[in-house]
Amino acid sequence: MNRIYMDNSATSFPKPSGVIGAMVAFARDCGASAGRGAYSEARACEEMIATCRGRIAELINAEAPERVVLAMNCSEGLSMAIRGLLNTSPRGTHVIATAMEHNSVLRPLNALKEQIGIEPEFIACDPSSGLVDPDDIRRAIRSETKLIACVHVSNVTGTIQPIAEVAQIAREHGVGFLVDAAQSAGHVEIDVRKLGADMVAFPGHKGLLGPLGTGVLYVRPGFEECLATMKEGGTGTISELAVQPRTMPDKYEIGSHNAIGLAGLSEGVAWVLDRGVASIRDCDVQLSGLFMELTDGAGGLAVYGPRDTDYRAGVFSVNVRDIAPGVLADRLESQYGLLTRPGVHCAPLAHETIGTHPAGTCRLSFGPMTSEEDVKTAAAALREISGG
Ligand SMILES: Cc1ncc(COP(=O)(O)O)c(C=O)c1O
């Protein structure tokens, strides 16, 4: 039986052959650490990382490559952003986020609530679409509000939030704006300059097709002045300085880089740039439409999130009546070779929103390597299991 990977929201698979080739070549032919030697291999590693940074900057239309801070994953980028901005805030500092956020936003905010008394407020979203109403965010702003955090694409329902409108509201009120682009980078166009977000975090290992252990925090020019470091250490630059450099991106990148991972990520981003995010999005829209059409009306099968592809990406939560999500995922794998993810997907409030807490759902998530055949197999399997 063919195995069909449908867990691209967790991490993308398979990776383009160029990604694997670059990692093998790095391990075999280079192996040096950037900024840690004067020999040609160390310089080649430095150049490779600069190329990777430049490609990421091009992809999101960042002002300059140094606005791209390289991290271990999206969670680390989000944590750097949230804690860097809020760690020294006075009690009562207000933060707005949505009920569709992932634990990598919920947990740092809830930890800071306990530790220093910030007041996070999670704005309710529409139960059927998962969409946040920007006016609800506007109404929640107070004089103590310091940050608005918003997930771009929900990892539970695929909902695309109206982040441009939220960014505009944040700007009008002089409030910081952080976007969690974990599920959108590489899937949906992101132009940080047009958007005007202060910070955007995303993984390298999902839509950008790099390996696990890679992620990014984009920081708008000047915003680093408000953003404390969460970790300090060696950067391989300005070593005579006994304190963390204030220059970007060294301020936030400590220790030897995950160079082998970045060699892969650089090729992943090149692949995405070459194919074009608009074309990847077109395919995702087509596959999402097909999945909804083929599962429409199946008795006993619930498919969550927006029906309109303008407001969703190819991340589908489903449930079959009387079958627990974990059992459904097991049956999809053992009977049809479909690899999915059951449970709460690190987003408990999102599941409360759509009424699937605490059991959760079974999630199928598409990527640029997902084919029409894969989607047809998944839809047919769900129809068969649900008896529809
Ligand atoms: C919406 C969202 N935010 C953040 C994350 C965390 O990403 P990472 O696994 O790269 O830390 C995920 C991961 O699935 C996610 O879906």
Side-chain angles (χ1 to χ4, degrees), residues 9 73-75 78 102 104 151 153 155 180 182-183 203 205-206:
S9 285
N73 45 48
C74 185
S75 303
L78 289 166
H102 187 272
S104 46
V151 64
V153 170
N155 66 315
D180 173 359
Q183 300 296 339
H205 64 95
K206 301 188 201 261

Side-chain angles (χ1 to χ4, degrees), residues 109-374:
L109 290 179
N110 286 329
L112 286 170
K113 178 181 176 179
E114 267 189 22
Q115 290 159 4
I116 61 166
I118 70 156
E119 291 177 15
E121 180 175 352
F122 301 107
I123 304 295
C125 295
D126 182 81
S128 67
S129 65
L131 278 163
V132 70
D133 181 344
D135 283 333
D136 288 342
I137 291 182
R138 189 197 303 278
R139 278 190 286 271
I141 293 175
R142 321 176 193 150
S143 55
E144 301 83 10
T145 308
K146 191 164 178 185
L147 177 69
I148 299 172
C150 187
V151 64
H152 190 183
V153 170
S154 163
N155 66 315
V156 173
T157 55
T159 310
I160 302 176
Q161 298 292 10
I163 56 163
E165 286 170 74
V166 180
Q168 174 71 23
I169 292 168
R171 251 197 322 275
E172 281 166 15
H173 291 80
V175 173
F177 183 46
L178 165 66
V179 178
D180 173 359
Q183 300 296 339
S184 54
H187 293 279
V188 179
E189 209 91 54
I190 299 174
D191 180 328
V192 292
R193 278 192 263 182
K194 219 195 270 172
L195 181 63
D198 297 306
M199 299 174 288
V200 182
F202 46 97
H205 64 95
K206 301 188 201 261
L208 304 192
L209 306 175
L212 287 158
T214 57
V216 172
L217 176 65
Y218 157 82
V219 181
R220 173 177 70 73
F223 201 75
E224 67 271 22
E225 298 304 324
C226 325
L227 204 62
T229 54
M230 287 300 93
K231 295 173 183 169
E232 296 78 29
T235 54
T237 58
I238 344 179
S239 291
E240 62 282 8
L241 210 60
V243 294
Q244 197 67 17
R246 295 170 65 89
T247 45
M248 291 288 287
D250 296 349
K251 186 172 176 185
Y252 307 104
E253 282 180 16
I254 61 155
S256 307
H257 287 93
N258 171 16
I260 190 165
L262 296 175
L265 175 59
S266 188
E267 291 312 305
V269 178
W271 192 97
V272 171
L273 283 169
D274 187 47
R275 174 132 174 227
V277 176
S279 134
I280 293 171
R281 170 78 184 138
D282 282 349
C283 287
D284 189 60
V285 164
Q286 198 206 327
L287 293 179
S288 297
L290 180 67
F291 181 75
M292 288 190 287
E293 182 194 319
L294 295 179
T295 51
D296 195 31
L301 176 68
V303 177
Y304 300 90
R307 304 291 302 170
D308 183 339
T309 50
D310 283 352
Y311 298 101
R312 72 139 50 250
V315 180
F316 287 92
S317 258
V318 304
N319 265 329
V320 172
R321 194 172 41 226
D322 300 332
I323 302 181
V327 174
L328 177 59
D330 285 346
R331 286 186 60 181
L332 287 170
E333 181 180 1
S334 59
Q335 293 174 231
Y336 305 92
L338 285 156
L339 312 188
T340 63
R341 179 176 173 195
V344 177
H345 315 101
C346 304
L349 301 185
H351 280 282
E352 277 179 17
T353 300
I354 63 170
T356 50
H357 195 269
T361 54
C362 182
R363 184 183 71 187
L364 297 85
S365 48
F366 310 155
M369 311 304 174
T370 305
S371 68
E372 231 179 78
E373 269 325 294
D374 296 340

Side-chain angles (χ1 to χ4, degrees), residues 369-387:
M369 311 304 174
T370 305
S371 68
E372 231 179 78
E373 269 325 294
D374 296 340
V375 170
K376 285 181 183 165
T377 303
L382 287 167
R383 284 201 92 99
E384 213 166 84
I385 293 174
S386 68

